[in-house]
Amino acid sequence: MSPLVNGSPAASSASESAQEKPGFRTKTIATRITPEELREVEAAAEKNGKTLAVWLRELALNAARERPVDPTELLLAEISALRFMLLNLFHASASAQSEGTYLLPESVIKIRDKAEARKLADARKLLTEFIAGEGGTGGQK
């Protein structure tokens, strides 16, 4: 039986240290696989030079954080990025021309990189607004 501290069972030193360290991994995920599947997964982790736990965690987190939910979202993300780039390139080009200068290659790269960085978030926002019934105004509000 564990001793009581302040009316509750004493926490182990591992759980105390976990509470002290923000971001400390304390949760687990379990699944069942066949022995053959285990060999495949272990081989893939070893091929990447990682332990099985690290490889699985990275794979799961990358999928959760980066992968579009469905092909529609991916397509909308690409269209959103294209729209962002075109509008910003037209604006930057017109501004440069009105100032008697040229649009610099560095400016084009910055616009492209910004479009790439925000495309998935923009697509998710558009889908959320559409599902909520706010879309369909053709850009007019």
Side-chain angles (χ1 to χ4, degrees), residues 77-90 92 103-120 122:
E78 291 299 325
I79 292 169
S80 177
L82 182 60
R83 178 181 179 212
F84 179 89
M85 286 187 297
L86 283 172
L87 291 174
N88 282 281
L89 286 169
F90 287 148
L103 182 60
L104 298 174
E106 296 83 23
S107 299
V108 175
I109 299 299
K110 284 182 184 178
I111 291 170
R112 181 209 57 202
D113 291 347
K114 190 169 184 180
E116 185 67 26
R118 61 183 284 164
K119 70 182 182 182
L120 194 53
D122 286 350

Side-chain angles (χ1 to χ4, degrees), residues 25-133:
R25 292 188 174 101
T26 60
K27 304 296 180 191
T28 60
I29 300 172
T31 188
R32 295 182 187 274
I33 57 176
T34 66
E36 175 58 32
E37 291 169 333
L38 177 60
R39 285 190 290 277
E40 288 179 55
V41 171
E42 287 173 333
E46 186 177 327
K47 180 180 174 185
N48 284 282
K50 299 178 181 175
T51 65
L52 183 57
V54 169
W55 186 78
L56 287 170
R57 180 175 37 255
E58 287 177 359
L59 188 64
L61 288 173
N62 285 341
R65 292 175 179 162
E66 300 296 326
R67 181 172 236 162
V69 175
D70 61 30
T72 302
E73 188 175 82
L74 179 60
L75 184 59
L76 185 56
E78 291 299 325
I79 292 169
S80 177
L82 182 60
R83 178 181 179 212
F84 179 89
M85 286 187 297
L86 283 172
L87 291 174
N88 282 281
L89 286 169
F90 287 148
H91 177 73
S93 180
S95 294
Q97 188 176 17
S98 71
E99 295 170 3
T101 61
Y102 295 98
L103 182 60
L104 298 174
E106 296 83 23
S107 299
V108 175
I109 299 299
K110 284 182 184 178
I111 291 170
R112 181 209 57 202
D113 291 347
K114 190 169 184 180
E116 185 67 26
R118 61 183 284 164
K119 70 182 182 182
L120 194 53
D122 286 350
R124 288 180 175 160
K125 181 182 175 198
L126 287 169
L127 284 171
T128 301
E129 289 173 357
F130 179 77
I131 290 169

